[in-house]
Amino acid sequence: MRVTEKLVAASLLALMAGCSSWNPFASKDPKVEPAKLVELKSSIAVRDAWKYSIGKAGVYAFTPALAGNSLYVVNADGALARLDAASGRETWRIKAGSDITSSAGSDGSVVAVGAAKGAVLAFDADGKQLWKAQASSEVLTSPVVGQGVVVVRSVDNRIVGFDAKTGERKWTVQRATPALTLRNAPGMVLGGANIYVAQPGGKLLALTAATGVVRWEIVVSEPRGATELERVSDIAGTPVVFEGEVCAVTYQGKAGCFDAATGVPRWSKPISSDVGVAVDQRFVFVADDQGAVVAFSREGGQSAWKNEALARRRLSTPASYGRSVAVGDYQGYIHFLSREDGALIGRVSTDGSPIVSAPVVAGSNLIFQTQSGTVTALAVE
């Protein structure tokens, strides 16, 4: 069974059991074929810097976690490895003692993962387990580590801060969950003393990481429509904090940027995406749910360009990388588009399995993890 089929099956089972999770791929018309790839004369020289096999992600979506010069990668069967981000050399690899359900999160001293039955596991930089705690339900979102806490969001939308050294529960924030939500992992990101939490229902929440005090809560996109399905408007992927702003995108809603300190809107534009955004000095990049890659001006949200050549190829979150924008697809291809005008300028293949996690830029390397567990670092010569 392909990973997308597994995700759909998991979502249907969740719905039958009364859970509110839902996978947007299930609503797409199977008769509409993904765009076929045409022969491309590459104008950039992309090479493999290194490769590493961590093992299959199963029904989950695992993104490598960068902390300093180290990269932490996981698989669904409980493997956790620390790699040198520049060379891919394995520093250590352990078995967590449980299946893993979320990507890792780390500040370089503590690394944490979500595990089976809502467990939260924390390890030190040498791979020694520090503590085990219990969340109220399954943890799909990568934990955030910083400001002395490990912050975890479970699928019932409870956000908990654990002491990073002891695992003691320090604070809890509970938010309501709509009747129907995406079966994905709404992301969290640390920015200074705050943690920004993507929410179902199109909301973005800013908390003080150390104490859990709510700084602000805003609506990125109001749910619209007559049915629960039409009203799904969850924030997709992980918000991005960049130069005093936090940017995000919703499914069936909008992309926008907001003042990171106050939540005051800078701009928003209609678009629908089930993956996150990428941000650089000039642009905000979005891969929409129909496979178009769009660039908005970061200054005011004006549309800069749009490329629809990868229609319905189930694209990953983009990454701004040098003079290009890179995005993965359901066949394991990584596509490079011109940052300036969106033209396709390069393509490389991985292992043929879907890329559904977000790419990571680590120094001069661009790193992707496939569903089959190949971690690939690319470099442009």
Side-chain angles (χ1 to χ4, degrees):
M1 184 181 288
R2 293 173 299 178
V3 65
T4 50
E5 294 172 334
K6 288 181 178 179
L7 285 165
V8 171
S11 301
L12 291 174
L13 287 172
L15 284 169
M16 291 170 64
C19 177
S20 60
S21 298
W22 173 69
N23 185 325
F25 291 162
S27 70
K28 294 181 179 178
D29 184 357
K31 296 179 181 179
V32 179
E33 292 293 326
K36 296 187 182 300
L37 300 181
V38 298
E39 187 174 348
L40 177 66
K41 184 177 180 180
S42 179
S43 61
I44 59 172
V46 183
R47 64 174 177 86
D48 287 345
W50 53 262
K51 285 182 182 287
Y52 180 84
S53 180
I54 183 61
K56 293 182 178 180
V59 299
Y60 305 105
F62 295 141
T63 294
L66 181 67
N69 297 322
S70 293
L71 197 73
Y72 295 92
V73 293
V74 302
N75 74 18
D77 291 332
L80 167 64
R82 176 183 175 183
L83 312 178
D84 179 80
S87 67
R89 180 180 59 84
E90 181 183 289
T91 305
W92 48 257
R93 179 169 176 152
I94 62 170
K95 292 292 288 185
S98 172
D99 291 349
I100 291 177
T101 60
S102 82
S103 305
S106 180
D107 63 353
S109 298
V110 175
V111 55
V113 296
K117 299 180 180 180
V120 182
L121 308 177
F123 305 84
D124 67 15
D126 295 318
K128 179 181 178 181
Q129 185 167 330
L130 294 173
W131 48 265
K132 178 179 180 179
Q134 185 63 44
S136 54
S137 60
E138 186 179 30
V139 176
L140 300 179
T141 299
S142 307
V144 171
V145 185
Q147 301 291 321
V149 294
V150 173
V151 181
V152 172
R153 177 196 178 272
S154 47
V155 296
D156 59 1
N157 209 15
R158 181 168 295 179
I159 307 149
V160 179
F162 298 96
D163 185 278
K165 293 182 179 179
T166 66
E168 178 186 0
R169 189 185 299 256
K170 297 184 70 174
W171 54 261
T172 301
V173 174
Q174 177 73 61
R175 284 295 184 267
T177 300
L180 194 64
T181 68
L182 297 177
R183 182 175 172 80
N184 66 359
M188 305 184 294
V189 61
L190 187 68
N194 292 341
I195 182 168
Y196 300 91
V197 186
Q199 292 281 285
K203 294 181 179 180
L204 183 61
L205 177 66
L207 307 172
T208 302
T211 62
V213 172
V214 177
R215 296 292 304 275
W216 50 258
E217 186 171 11
I218 59 168
V219 176
V220 177
S221 176
E222 291 280 1
R224 299 176 181 275
T227 68
E228 294 292 350
L229 192 62
E230 292 172 338
R231 291 178 58 81
V232 174
S233 186
D234 300 356
I235 293 183
T238 300
V240 175
V241 178
F242 189 86
E243 294 184 348
E245 294 182 336
V246 56
C247 303
V249 66
T250 69
Y251 182 70
Q252 300 185 140
K254 297 178 180 179
C257 292
F258 307 84
D259 185 278
T262 65
V264 172
R266 298 286 175 83
W267 59 266
S268 64
K269 297 291 180 179
I271 195 168
S272 175
S273 177
D274 45 32
V275 295
V277 301
V279 182
D280 64 20
Q281 285 81 3
R282 292 182 57 196
F283 300 111
V284 174
F285 303 100
V286 179
D288 75 15
D289 60 354
Q290 297 303 309
V293 183
V294 182
F296 297 100
S297 166
R298 192 168 70 86
E299 183 67 27
Q302 296 86 358
S303 179
W305 52 259
K306 182 177 184 179
N307 187 312
E308 298 177 292
L310 304 175
R312 299 173 299 281
R313 294 193 64 84
R314 286 170 269 172
L315 303 181
S316 73
T317 300
S320 177
Y321 178 64
R323 65 185 182 94
S324 68
V325 180
V327 64
D329 76 10
Y330 80 108
Q331 290 183 317
Y333 286 101
I334 299 166
H335 308 273
F336 293 83
L337 292 77
S338 166
R339 176 177 174 267
E340 300 304 316
D341 62 13
L344 281 167
I345 57 175
R347 180 190 306 134
V348 296
S349 61
T350 55
D351 60 11
S353 69
I355 298 172
V356 299
S357 62
V360 174
V361 177
S364 60
N365 290 339
L366 176 65
I367 302 170
F368 285 83
Q369 182 172 341
T370 71
Q371 289 302 106
S372 290
T374 301
V375 184
T376 300
L378 303 174
V380 174
E381 296 178 336

